[in-house]
Amino acid sequence: MDPIFVRTARIIGEKGVDFLSTKTVAVFGIGGVGSYAAEALVRAGVGHLIFIDKDAVEDSNLNRQLVADRTTLGRNKADIMVERAHRVNPACDARALAVYYRPGDEDFIKNLHADFIIDAIDDVPAKVSIAEICYKLKIPEISSMGTGNRLRPEMLQIADINKTSVCHLARKMRKELKERRVRHLTVVYSKELPHKPIGEGHAPGSTSFVPPVSGMMMAGYVIRNLLKEVNIT
C-alpha cells in the first residue's frame, strides 16, 4: 500500500483504501467549496477524479479558494487542482475539464462515468439540471447550497433538500426540482440566517472558513457512501 494512505487505512483498512482507488468522482466547480472537496478526495485516495471549471483565478478568490494564490492568478482553476492532486498522489488519475456545464446536457454527465458527483457551482439552472439528470440516471450526488454571507461553519448540515430551512438557494432549488418531479437531493446547507452584505454590489460576502467546511463535509459524505459498497462506514 502507498505510504500516503497508511493513516487512512487505520480507519477504513487496506480494503477500503484499495476500493477508493478504483472509484471515479466528478467535482463541478473548483471554487471556495469545490476546491476543498476536491483536495479531500485526493487525500482520501479516490483514484479517478474529474475537476470541472471554466473559470480562472482572480484576486477576489484569494480569501477562500484553495487553488488561489499570487502564483496562480489568471490560470484555470481545474488545471491547478489537477496539479495539486498530482503533487499529493502522483498515481491519481486526475483530469481537468475547463468548460461551463450547459443545462440539459445529459450526455456530458453520462460520459463522465462517475460513481459520485459533487455539485459545487453557483449557477441555479445548471445546479437544477445536474440534479435532475443525476436523479434520472441514478448517479449519486451531493449539492452545495449557499455559504455566502455566513460566519458560522458549525451551522452547516447535510440533509435531503426537502428537509432544509432558512437557506434561500435551497428553497429555490426545492421549488424547481419539485416541478421536475425530482424527489430527493442530498445537500449541504446552512441554518444560519445570512448577514446583510456591507457596501455596494451584488456579490455575496464570503469568508475563509465557511465554504471550505461545506466542501469537506461533501467529500466526507461521498467517501462514506462509496465505502458502504464494501460494508465499511
Side-chain angles (χ1 to χ4, degrees):
M1 182 178 59
D2 193 313
I4 300 170
F5 306 114
V6 168
R7 297 289 288 271
T8 305
R10 295 293 298 273
I11 302 174
I12 66 173
E14 289 192 37
K15 179 182 177 182
V17 171
D18 290 344
F19 180 75
L20 290 178
S21 72
T22 70
K23 297 288 103 176
T24 299
V25 179
V27 183
F28 284 77
I30 308 298
V33 174
S35 62
Y36 283 87
E39 181 90 355
L41 294 172
V42 171
R43 293 178 186 270
V46 175
H48 307 275
L49 292 164
I50 306 166
F51 306 133
I52 304 158
D53 201 315
K54 176 73 170 179
D55 290 342
V57 174
E58 301 176 351
D59 287 324
S60 62
N61 304 147
L62 289 167
N63 77 320
R64 70 195 183 282
Q65 298 188 14
L66 195 60
V67 291
D69 62 43
R70 295 292 177 184
T71 70
T72 61
L73 291 171
R75 295 190 55 212
N76 175 259
K77 296 177 182 180
D79 286 339
I80 298 165
M81 198 68 235
V82 167
E83 291 174 6
R84 288 187 64 91
H86 289 155
R87 285 199 298 269
V88 172
N89 179 16
C92 178
D93 170 30
R95 60 189 176 101
L97 295 179
V99 297
Y100 291 123
Y101 171 72
R102 293 181 292 107
D105 193 345
E106 182 174 321
D107 286 340
F108 181 87
I109 292 176
K110 189 181 297 183
N111 291 335
L112 296 173
H113 302 292
D115 298 295
F116 222 107
I117 284 177
I118 287 179
D119 158 32
I121 59 178
D122 55 13
D123 179 83
V124 175
K127 292 179 81 69
V128 170
S129 176
I130 293 169
E132 183 179 15
I133 291 169
C134 284
Y135 185 77
K136 175 185 175 183
L137 299 178
K138 295 182 171 57
I139 300 172
E141 180 201 359
I142 185 167
S143 179
S144 64
M145 298 293 104
T147 59
N149 299 325
R150 291 170 173 87
L151 288 171
R152 297 184 177 275
E154 67 271 21
M155 295 188 74
L156 289 163
Q157 297 187 9
I158 297 176
D160 188 275
I161 197 165
N162 297 306
K163 297 181 179 179
T164 59
S165 60
V166 179
C167 179
H168 173 73
L169 176 56
R171 183 165 59 250
K172 189 170 185 177
M173 287 279 295
R174 191 165 58 241
K175 179 177 181 295
E176 295 282 347
L177 293 175
K178 185 177 180 180
E179 292 175 358
R180 290 162 175 76
R181 297 183 180 178
V182 176
R183 293 181 171 82
H184 301 288
L185 174 64
T186 302
V187 301
V188 176
Y189 79 104
S190 178
K191 297 194 78 170
E192 179 185 4
L193 289 170
H195 294 252
K196 184 177 180 180
I198 300 169
E200 299 179 355
H202 299 289
S206 195
T207 66
S208 62
F209 46 85
V210 176
V213 173
S214 176
M216 290 291 186
M217 290 173 68
M218 295 171 85
Y221 180 87
V222 169
I223 296 299
R224 290 190 301 273
N225 278 271
L226 287 175
L227 289 172
K228 286 180 180 179
E229 295 182 39
V230 285
N231 299 315
I232 301 170
T233 56

